[in-house]
Amino acid sequence: MVNERKAELPIWFANEDIHDADEPYLPSLFEECFFRWKQEALGLVSLRMGQFGIYSRDVLCHGFTDPTDQPVAPERDLLASIAVPEAFREGATSKASADGSHSIAIPLHRRSDQAVFAVMLYTHTGAPDASYTAELQSAALHLRSCFYHVFEQLYVKDLIEQQRRKDREANHRDALFLAAKRLYDQIDVSSVLAEMLASLESLYPNSEIHLYLSQDYVDGDPRIKPLAFKNTAHDIVAQAFLESKPAMEHERDGTMRLAVPMTGKQAAYGVLCMTLSRGKWDESDMPAFLLLADTAGSAFENAKLYEQSNLLINELRLINEMTKRLNQSLRLKEIFQFATSELLTIFDADYCCVLQLDKISNEFVVKSSNIPAMASEHFSPEYGFCGMIYRTKEPLIISDYWNTRVVTSKLMDNTGSRSLIAAPIFVDGEVVGVILVTHKIANFFSYDNYKLLQVMSTHIGLAVANASLHAEVRRMVITDTLTGLHARHYLNEQIQSRQRKDPFGSLILVDIDYFKRINDTYGHQVGDRILVQVSSIISSAIRQGDIAARWGGEELAVYLPGIRTEQALRIAERIRKQVAEETDPTVTVSCGVSEWTFDNEKISVESLFYRADMALYEAKNKGRNCIIVGE
């Protein structure tokens, strides 16, 4: 009885079905199922007497048989243009004839709601033969079965692939758990690094692994090297460290190099670089590798903290006292003067300058210094160490300015200083100032001083932000109340986030044509209703993971993660058609489409929107109610 009940239970994926939003992805399924159907339908009499084809809603053929002495492509396309739309519209068999050629269009229904998702078209010359009708109906059912067989195979393949990845990830998690436990059991830097390299060699036995440290370290292990910045534009190790994100490159021989920053909670301490031969890397390994790098960074940081506990306790006391003093004042001048005085004392420095960026003149202005000649000096954002920090948004440490003159500095030249530590002052992620601390003796400042200045610059930045009379308060609203779509800033943030992890994506900008004329003719209430209608059409035409937003006024935007231009065009075209057919009063839309890929030299939200906006502008100039792809 148990076995009988099991036999009666349906296979779970037999209840799965396609949906309207899947239409852009169906052509490849149509091609594969029609190919299979042809192999299995060789015995059909009708196959020898005419042509079969499978058509999508846009009357495009995705596979056909081609015996001799049958209607040529123009005649077949003409018959298809008549019979196929009717079969889609009526949900029943339709026929068409022209110049001695005849066609029969049989709809293929979805199994969930019986909606038509494709049409099988049979064309032949000569008089129609009613005896073919039953055979054609059977052929259509057979073709539908082939489609769902292919469709269900996708589920099975996905399941197998997901299970494989889960098994692989589970094994990695177990190995990483043990590696993390061993790492956290170590209390000195050398043991942490040795354990980390051993764990990587165990997890990736066919790889070549190196660790590039950003601070001085003497151990004798040839795999541990100092981090150098000689050619940052083409060095993935330097890129990974400076950008705090993984970098990857592929050689012509198929070798892959992956560089991942080893980061703790306070800073990046180095870069793990792994080289693998062709076929030895799986993208699913990336989370495990990143987790191990993060774990190693945290363990390394803990070991450093343990070694320097007494020094850090004193530093924390200094930071605490300085922060309390900074927060007692809301006047920028007092904050800068106090910061200068404290920094000179803490670092036992000879000179200190605190500069602020004047956004109006776009110059750095000295706001506080113990050098009278430097008072109120102005410098271009491209000049000296200020310029370097402004461009890179990174702190600096210079051991000997006289021997490594990377830029010209008026401060260093006029004071005879040789050592320098410098850090940016951030407000809302932007550089609004720079701190320069110098000494006349070479190699005077330690790496710990360098790190401490970074921490102090953060607190100075917070004090500056609190004291600024021009602080901007941005209200975080992610939903547009009229259309129900997301707000523009939310769309920007989501695209930025997806660009960090996706290989590609597409953007569609949608603009309602002559919207001002609608408002002038019918009033703003009708204009708002049109906006709501178009927004609803867009929402129904995209996948759950796609992001639709109101870009501004009558302009709407749709971001399609993991979608290339070809598919984006189909979605945009569906939106364009539905808007023209379903809006009341009737309006049309123009669309601009752009895409980004991981291979782009500059990946940014701004460039993606710019290309789409230029394409939309071109669509407007070409008469509206059309779609243009941005270059």
Side-chain angles (χ1 to χ4, degrees), residues 252-388:
R252 292 183 179 179
D253 61 358
T255 301
M256 188 276 293
R257 290 183 72 220
L258 173 65
V260 175
M262 189 180 75
T263 307
K265 293 180 180 179
Q266 292 184 350
Y269 299 102
V271 175
L272 281 169
C273 186
M274 183 170 66
T275 303
L276 288 166
S277 56
R278 183 191 300 272
K280 298 297 183 180
W281 175 255
D282 191 315
E283 283 299 323
S284 63
D285 291 341
M286 181 64 83
F289 192 80
L290 292 175
L291 180 58
L292 184 59
D294 287 342
T295 303
S298 297
F300 179 87
E301 182 175 72
N302 290 339
K304 294 291 290 184
L305 290 172
Y306 178 79
E307 291 177 353
Q308 302 172 357
S309 57
N310 291 330
L311 177 62
L312 288 177
I313 289 172
N314 184 55
E315 289 179 353
L316 289 172
R317 181 183 59 79
L318 292 173
I319 293 169
N320 184 49
E321 292 177 358
M322 182 175 180
T323 302
K324 286 194 295 185
R325 289 284 304 276
L326 286 170
N327 290 333
Q328 288 174 358
S329 175
L330 289 177
R331 297 181 62 183
L332 284 174
K333 184 176 180 180
E334 291 179 359
I335 290 173
F336 290 138
Q337 288 177 345
F338 171 73
T340 300
S341 174
E342 286 295 296
L343 292 173
L344 285 168
T345 302
I346 291 170
F347 296 109
D348 195 21
D350 286 334
Y351 305 103
C352 178
C353 276
V354 180
L355 302 93
Q356 184 182 23
L357 180 65
D358 187 331
K359 292 184 178 180
I360 297 176
S361 63
N362 195 32
E363 289 182 319
F364 278 105
V365 181
V366 176
K367 291 295 185 179
S368 178
S369 175
N370 65 328
I371 311 167
M374 296 290 292
S376 301
E377 281 276 11
H378 293 70
F379 300 100
S380 164
E382 304 296 323
Y383 175 79
F385 292 116
C386 287
M388 289 182 64

Side-chain angles (χ1 to χ4, degrees), residues 174-187 191-192 195-196 198-200 202-203 292 295 299:
D174 292 341
L176 285 169
F177 176 78
L178 294 175
K181 185 177 183 302
R182 291 194 299 268
L183 281 170
Y184 282 120
D185 285 343
Q186 314 304 321
I187 60 172
S191 299
V192 168
E195 183 59 48
M196 178 194 63
S199 298
L200 281 173
S202 174
L203 287 169
L292 184 59
T295 303

Side-chain angles (χ1 to χ4, degrees), residues 311-588:
L311 177 62
L312 288 177
I313 289 172
N314 184 55
E315 289 179 353
L316 289 172
R317 181 183 59 79
L318 292 173
I319 293 169
N320 184 49
E321 292 177 358
M322 182 175 180
T323 302
K324 286 194 295 185
R325 289 284 304 276
L326 286 170
N327 290 333
Q328 288 174 358
S329 175
L330 289 177
R331 297 181 62 183
L332 284 174
K333 184 176 180 180
E334 291 179 359
I335 290 173
F336 290 138
Q337 288 177 345
F338 171 73
T340 300
S341 174
E342 286 295 296
L343 292 173
L344 285 168
T345 302
I346 291 170
F347 296 109
D348 195 21
D350 286 334
Y351 305 103
C352 178
C353 276
V354 180
L355 302 93
Q356 184 182 23
L357 180 65
D358 187 331
K359 292 184 178 180
I360 297 176
S361 63
N362 195 32
E363 289 182 319
F364 278 105
V365 181
V366 176
K367 291 295 185 179
S368 178
S369 175
N370 65 328
I371 311 167
M374 296 290 292
S376 301
E377 281 276 11
H378 293 70
F379 300 100
S380 164
E382 304 296 323
Y383 175 79
F385 292 116
C386 287
M388 289 182 64
I389 294 171
Y390 182 70
R391 289 192 303 272
T392 64
K393 296 186 177 182
E394 295 288 341
L396 278 176
I397 180 168
I398 302 295
S399 298
D400 192 348
Y401 170 75
W402 294 358
N403 292 330
T404 57
R405 189 184 289 263
V406 291
V407 294
T408 299
S409 170
K410 186 175 182 178
L411 170 64
M412 302 296 280
D413 291 335
N414 289 357
T415 61
S417 297
R418 299 183 68 173
S419 299
L420 174 138
I421 50 175
I425 299 174
F426 287 108
V427 171
D428 293 333
E430 296 296 326
V431 177
V432 299
V434 172
I435 301 170
L436 303 175
V437 181
T438 75
H439 201 282
K440 294 181 178 180
I441 299 174
N443 303 300
F444 181 80
F445 299 113
S446 67
Y447 183 71
D448 291 321
N449 296 148
Y450 167 75
K451 290 195 301 179
L452 180 58
L453 181 61
Q454 293 179 55
V455 177
M456 290 187 165
S457 69
T458 300
H459 291 280
I460 293 170
L462 291 173
V464 170
N466 292 333
S468 176
L469 297 177
H470 303 287
E472 296 180 356
V473 179
R474 190 166 67 109
R475 201 171 175 184
M476 300 298 294
V477 178
I478 67 169
T479 303
D480 179 66
T481 55
L482 174 64
T483 64
L485 301 181
H486 290 299
R488 178 173 178 173
H489 70 85
Y490 178 79
L491 177 67
N492 291 348
E493 293 166 0
Q494 290 300 305
I495 295 176
Q496 236 174 6
S497 174
R498 297 309 292 256
Q499 285 182 333
R500 287 194 289 267
K501 56 186 178 181
D502 289 347
F504 48 78
S506 295
L507 177 72
I508 304 172
L509 287 186
V510 181
D511 185 88
I512 301 174
D513 298 328
Y514 301 111
F515 188 72
K516 184 177 183 301
R517 187 183 299 172
I518 293 290
N519 282 332
D520 293 343
T521 304
Y522 301 99
H524 288 279
Q525 287 186 335
V526 174
D528 288 348
R529 194 176 74 208
I530 289 293
L531 267 174
V532 173
Q533 291 177 17
V534 174
S535 300
S536 177
I537 290 170
I538 290 174
S539 297
S540 66
I542 61 177
R543 303 170 301 174
Q544 185 175 358
D546 299 334
I547 306 165
R550 187 175 182 184
W551 197 44
E554 71 273 19
E555 292 182 332
L556 310 171
V558 183
Y559 180 67
L560 308 168
I563 292 295
R564 299 300 298 270
T565 299
E566 296 79 7
Q567 294 174 331
L569 274 172
R570 297 191 191 102
I571 296 170
E573 178 62 18
R574 185 161 75 244
I575 292 171
R576 188 193 67 79
K577 285 185 177 180
Q578 285 185 242
V579 169
E581 294 169 358
E582 299 175 12
T583 49
D584 179 24
T586 301
V587 296
T588 60

Side-chain angles (χ1 to χ4, degrees), residues 12-13 152-169 282 284:
W12 69 269
F13 56 72
E152 289 164 359
Q153 278 188 328
L154 284 179
Y155 273 89
V156 175
K157 288 178 182 178
D158 285 345
L159 278 176
I160 293 173
E161 178 62 22
Q162 289 175 15
Q163 188 59 46
R164 186 186 71 82
R165 288 182 178 272
K166 286 181 180 179
D167 291 342
R168 185 184 185 92
E169 289 171 2
D282 191 315
S284 63

